[in-house]
Amino acid sequence: MTPAHADTAALRTVKSICPHDCPDTCVMTVNIEGDRAVAIGGDPDHRFTQGFLCAKVNRYLERVYSSDRLLHPLRRVGKKGEGRFERITWDEALDTIAERFRSIIEEHGAQAILPYSYAGNMGLLSYGSMDRRFFHSIGASLLARTICSSAGGAGLRVTLGRSVGFDPEAIVNARFIVAWGANIVSSNVHLWPFIEEARRRGATLVAVDPYRSRTAEKADRHLALRPGTDAALALGVMHVIFRDGFEDRDYIERYTLGADRLRERASEWTPERTAQTTGLTADEVESFAREYATAKPSAIRLNYGLNRHAGGGMAVRTIACLPALTGAWRRPGGGVLLSTSGTFPVNNEALERPDLIPPGTRTLNMSRLGRILLDRELSPPVKALFVYNSNPAAVAPEQEMVLAGLAREDLFTVVHDLFRTDSADYADIVLPATSTLEMFDIHKSYGQLYVSLNQPAIAPLGESKPNTEVFRLLAARMGLDHPCLRESDEEMARSVFRWEHPHMKGITYERLEREASVRLSVPESFAPFAEGGFFTPSGKCELYAEALEAQGLDPLAGYTPPRESAATAPDLARRFPLEFISPPAHHFLNSTFSAQPVFVQREKEPSLIIHPTDAAVRDIRDGVQVRVWNDRGAFLARATVSDAARPGVVVGLSTWWPKMCPGGRNVNAVTSQELTDMGGGAAFYDALVEVGVAASAGDLSRRAS
Ligand SMILES: Nc1nc2c(c(=O)[nH]1)N[C@H]1C(S)=C(S)[C@@H](COP(=O)(O)OP(=O)(O)OC[C@H]3O[C@@H](n4cnc5c(=O)[nH]c(N)nc54)[C@H](O)[C@@H]3O)O[C@H]1N2
Ligand SMILES: Nc1nc2c(c(=O)[nH]1)N[C@H]1C(S)=C(S)[C@@H](COP(=O)(O)OP(=O)(O)OC[C@H]3O[C@@H](n4cnc5c(=O)[nH]c(N)nc54)[C@H](O)[C@@H]3O)O[C@H]1N2
Ligand SMILES: [Mo]
């Protein structure tokens, strides 16, 4: 045995970066024996990861080495959706795709091709680099990536100017913390130790959530408001702030725009009116407002739960006005945090090459995939769909339409994934993807402030390939000759950031190679708007924003009610009286991990949490199978009768793979393709339903009697 060989056979530890759609972007330590990863953990030296991983990624090696992994390209031999395939070579797969793309371009034009991707892998290269360059070069339709955060992002940007918030590590300084539409324990668990530290120092934690989530359970108080009424609560808080003189006049005068108008609007939102709209009591509103306004500083951790409503953009915007009124931004740990991603100086122009987009190219909204695929007027129609980093058959709204669209015989579909998802079952060609341990990438984060480099820990399993390589190969196969289509991953990674930006001071590519993860060059106790400096056109926190006026929207922060609720759609609510929300299950991440046996075992089966009062009038006992339906569709679930759901609200934890659900449909059977007020986002949690005991197991159709 040569010494070199002895070396590789020995146990070594490398660092990898978790690429999943989560604010934490963890640094993992991976033990390798020979060519195999044998253990995984959180990097103890990383200040945000703090040596532990979440419930899901702790079991990551079971995912990497799963016998269900796709290891070579496949061609469909059965009917669409049936899931019967035969093995083919990469050459055959690439030739088939290139040939079909060419003939579709010839017959219908390149815009008949639609990429469909989201955040299955959040590495900057995997999320969007060579893929974008490729689709831009051929002139494919553009995809508006709206399925997650675009409403809240738009609301935040119009108010603060950028997706920037308080430094999450500084939350230890907060005296009052609001988890607002944020189930931190499940979906941002690495913030939790910082919150615990703040609580040890005396902070109070309040959860604002229609559902008693794991976070609400652990909080000091829980405000279980009606879904989609968050902005009303924020206005009620403002009412108390102005009425009782809790505002920071100096901060308001120097650093905000439109405070007088907002004060006037808030004056109408008495605690009584706020209580009526939100379903809270006036006392709850009063004491929440007082505590929020007088604790110094107060921190609001927003997450995307409250942006999945018709008024989601406005909800985030109105809440984001609060810290400017109380001056909470003055101190580290004060303010709001929805996303840190705007703190990273990413060079999107270099990465995605939008300059290659042919002028006039149309943009299609991913949150309307069902409509797009079934639209007979669309010209040109979508004739080819290339799905990667996403599982639309499970996660896109109005599932009946999505599946009917995917089942179209004249649609050519490619799916690139690690597993045979429901979406893959509808594909003509399935391509195997690498896991993060098998690839190279570079990362920012949307919930912390570290730049991270992921170097391959092990070789790709089977014939799997990373996203960048697939599009590099396809570009070559189609004879595209732009030099940017030949760049290596390392070349792209070297141009991913504006390295000269002050936040990158002292950070180099070589340093990332050595250290894997480095904190942005921002002060230790970082208070981004302590002295104003908002990124808006006026440089102020825009309580009143002319930019919105120009879009025909209400320029003043306010309240946009839900589209589907008893107050706003009384006729609909008579037929479908229950408000339905479908937040993430603790052991799933969207639909990633939803087929991994250990997590299926823990989540057991699709469930519907229903309040005892709502259950009683429907004769629903704990543990029976129920049917949940509206005019868009139906799904089946096991009833959990519990006051964890507030009266009038039912909760279906998501996202199961439809093919693993009884009846073959999941929560998205009843969600809608209507969009949010800002950002063209999906309004998953804006849905009225009715629930009844199911006729028989697996029967989706209406109850027989
Ligand atoms: N374990 C796990 N972690 C995840 C994810 C996952 O699926 N699983 N998803 C990742 C993704 S894609 C994202 S975008 C992020 C954020 O993902 P989010 O889906 O925002 O995750 P949560 O933080 O669980 O926030 C949802 C919370 O908002 C509540 N909610 C629903 N409607 C309303 C409302 O109208 N008002 C208020 N105040 N609350 C409401 C829900 O009951 C739930 O407890 O997390 C990421 N992290
Ligand atoms: N009802 C309801 N629906 C929802 C939500 C909800 O709360 N309720 N949440 C919404 C939100 S916030 C989001 S972000 C979307 C998420 O929607 P998606 O981004 O579609 O997320 P996933 O369902 O996790 O699917 C990601 C897929 O990418 C694959 N993948 C992972 N890494 C790679 C890679 O490197 N290359 C390739 N090619 N594939 C990879 C995974 O195996 C997985 O199958 O869902 C939305 N849908
Ligand atoms: Mo998301």
Side-chain angles (χ1 to χ4, degrees), residues 86-104:
E86 67 181 11
R87 179 175 178 171
I88 54 172
T89 65
W90 269 100
D91 275 334
E92 286 173 275
L94 291 167
D95 280 339
T96 308
I97 300 168
E99 219 165 276
R100 285 299 292 267
F101 276 15
R102 263 193 235 106
S103 73
I104 287 168

Side-chain angles (χ1 to χ4, degrees), residues 191-395:
L191 187 65
W192 191 250
F194 295 93
I195 291 178
E196 286 193 313
E197 174 60 22
R199 294 174 91 183
R200 275 194 291 275
R201 300 184 192 179
T204 301
L205 174 69
V206 178
V208 181
D209 197 314
Y211 162 58
R212 196 169 66 235
S213 66
R214 288 185 185 231
T215 305
E217 250 167 41
K218 292 185 157 65
D220 298 293
R221 280 185 270 298
H222 174 204
L223 299 184
L225 81 183
R226 286 197 187 105
T229 64
D230 301 272
L233 177 58
L235 288 162
V237 172
M238 289 178 193
H239 178 96
V240 175
I241 289 174
F242 286 120
R243 186 196 66 195
D244 295 354
F246 293 140
E247 75 271 31
D248 180 336
R249 294 217 179 102
D250 178 63
Y251 195 94
I252 291 175
E253 205 160 292
R254 285 172 198 249
Y255 307 129
T256 72
L257 204 67
D260 289 341
R261 287 192 245 211
L262 187 55
R263 168 199 284 265
E264 207 179 298
R265 176 165 283 175
S267 73
E268 299 160 15
W269 285 90
T270 60
E272 291 70 30
R273 178 178 172 199
T274 306
Q276 222 168 29
T277 303
T278 57
L280 301 170
T281 66
D283 278 351
E284 281 176 312
V285 177
E286 283 272 357
S287 57
F288 176 61
R290 199 169 319 113
E291 281 189 285
Y292 172 75
T294 54
K296 303 279 177 209
S298 287
I300 299 174
R301 180 53 164 120
L302 282 171
N303 216 331
Y304 290 103
L306 51 68
N307 102 138
R308 300 186 190 111
H309 293 275
M314 191 59 115
V316 167
R317 161 159 172 66
T318 302
I319 294 166
C321 292
L322 285 169
L325 301 180
T326 61
W329 286 120
R330 288 184 189 275
R331 301 170 204 228
V336 296
L337 172 64
L338 175 65
S339 165
T340 56
S341 62
T343 318
F344 295 83
V346 175
N347 188 347
N348 262 319
E349 286 65 40
L351 190 60
E352 301 188 355
R353 297 299 302 264
D355 56 301
L356 300 175
I357 301 169
T361 302
R362 72 178 173 190
T363 300
L364 300 175
N365 187 333
M366 72 185 303
S367 299
R368 292 202 149 152
L369 180 64
R371 286 195 197 179
I372 290 166
L373 293 180
L374 297 181
D375 186 348
R376 287 165 193 274
E377 315 277 278
L378 196 64
S379 172
V382 171
K383 287 290 195 179
L385 190 69
F386 198 125
V387 177
Y388 56 105
N389 278 353
S390 186
N391 183 12
V395 303

